[in-house]
């Protein structure tokens, strides 16, 4: 009985010695870099000068009957009531709406808004963008909204309010794209 026990202990001892003799290691380095540039974070998305196709949010008027008079909504983005912006310290950004893709589409300029949504079949619903919830300060194209200078990482919110006007009695899905710019 003693022989198998010695053989087992001897086998285990040889295995331990042989597994230790095959261990190896190497060492090296990892290079780490970052380049910090003045920029802004819009709705949680990093942006730098020259970036495009940034998602500034959505203006959704919902579903209404074709005979509606007006429908209000607000732009939603990274903030509860608008577009959340955080910029580098010392930056004073300004925001502007350049145009909508369907601006001027209502023949003869009929309507109350300065932008239009299209159903793609020649029917339009006009709308306007305002800087206040009472919708008394309409934002005209290329008019800058100046923000405060950033001194820390506290977000500032660009609040935008929309009003659609009942200018079409044709049922369908209407849309537009506003072209906007944040400059600093």
């Amino acid at each position: 009985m003693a022989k198998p026990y010695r053989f087992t202990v001897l086998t285990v001892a040889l295995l331990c010695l042989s597994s230790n003799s095959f261990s190896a290691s190497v060492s090296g380095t990892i290079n780490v870099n970052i380049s910090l540039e003045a920029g802004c974070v819009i709705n949680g998305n990093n942006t730098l000068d020259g970036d495009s196709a940034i998602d500034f949010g959505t203006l959704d008027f919902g579903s209404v009957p074709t005979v509606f008079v007006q429908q209000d909504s607000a732009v939603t983005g990274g903030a509860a009531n608008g577009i959340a912006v955080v910029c580098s310290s010392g930056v004073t950004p300004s925001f502007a709406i350049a145009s909508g893709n369907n601006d001027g589409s209502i023949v003869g300029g009929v309507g109350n808004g300065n932008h239009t949504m299209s159903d793609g079949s020649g029917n339009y619903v006009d709308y306007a963008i305002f800087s206040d919830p009472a919708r008394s300060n309409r934002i005209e194209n290329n008019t800058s909204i100046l923000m405060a200078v950033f001194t820390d990482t506290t977000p500032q919110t660009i609040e935008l309010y929309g009003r659609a006007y009942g200018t079409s009695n044709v049922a369908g899905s209407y849309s537009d794209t506003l072209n906007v710019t944040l400059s600093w």
Side-chain angles (χ1 to χ4, degrees):
M1 222 44 184
K3 276 188 173 183
Y5 179 72
R6 285 187 203 177
F7 180 72
T8 305
V9 171
L10 181 61
T11 303
V12 171
L14 286 174
L15 287 174
C16 288
L17 286 175
S18 65
S19 68
N20 284 339
S21 64
F22 290 108
S23 69
S25 67
V26 295
S27 60
T29 61
I30 296 174
N31 295 324
V32 179
N33 300 299
I34 189 169
S35 177
L36 298 179
E37 299 178 28
C40 297
V41 175
I42 301 167
N43 294 332
N45 299 303
N46 293 333
T47 61
L48 293 173
D49 185 29
D51 285 350
S52 61
I54 302 300
D55 181 7
F56 279 84
T58 301
L59 178 61
D60 185 353
F61 289 104
S63 296
V64 297
T66 59
V67 293
F68 81 100
V69 175
Q70 67 185 31
Q71 178 72 10
D72 291 342
S73 186
V75 171
T76 57
N81 293 24
I83 304 164
V85 178
V86 177
C87 293
S88 301
S89 184
V91 169
T92 306
S94 66
F95 174 85
I97 297 171
S99 64
N101 285 354
N102 301 306
D103 286 2
S105 295
I106 295 181
V107 178
V110 176
N112 295 312
N114 56 339
H115 303 290
T116 54
M117 294 175 275
S118 171
D119 69 353
S121 297
N123 301 302
Y124 300 95
V125 172
D126 69 319
Y127 69 100
I129 305 294
F130 301 86
S131 62
D132 62 314
R135 290 164 179 81
S136 57
N137 297 311
R138 188 165 95 171
I139 300 172
E140 300 299 330
N141 287 349
N142 300 309
T143 301
S144 292
I145 298 172
L146 190 60
M147 300 174 70
V149 64
F150 278 88
T151 58
D152 57 28
T153 58
T154 303
Q156 294 181 37
T157 302
I158 302 169
E159 294 183 3
L160 300 175
Y161 302 90
R163 176 168 285 163
Y165 302 96
T167 52
S168 176
N169 62 358
V170 179
S173 183
Y174 293 76
S175 64
D176 189 24
T177 300
L178 289 174
N179 304 295
V180 301
T181 303
L182 184 75
S183 302
W184 64 87

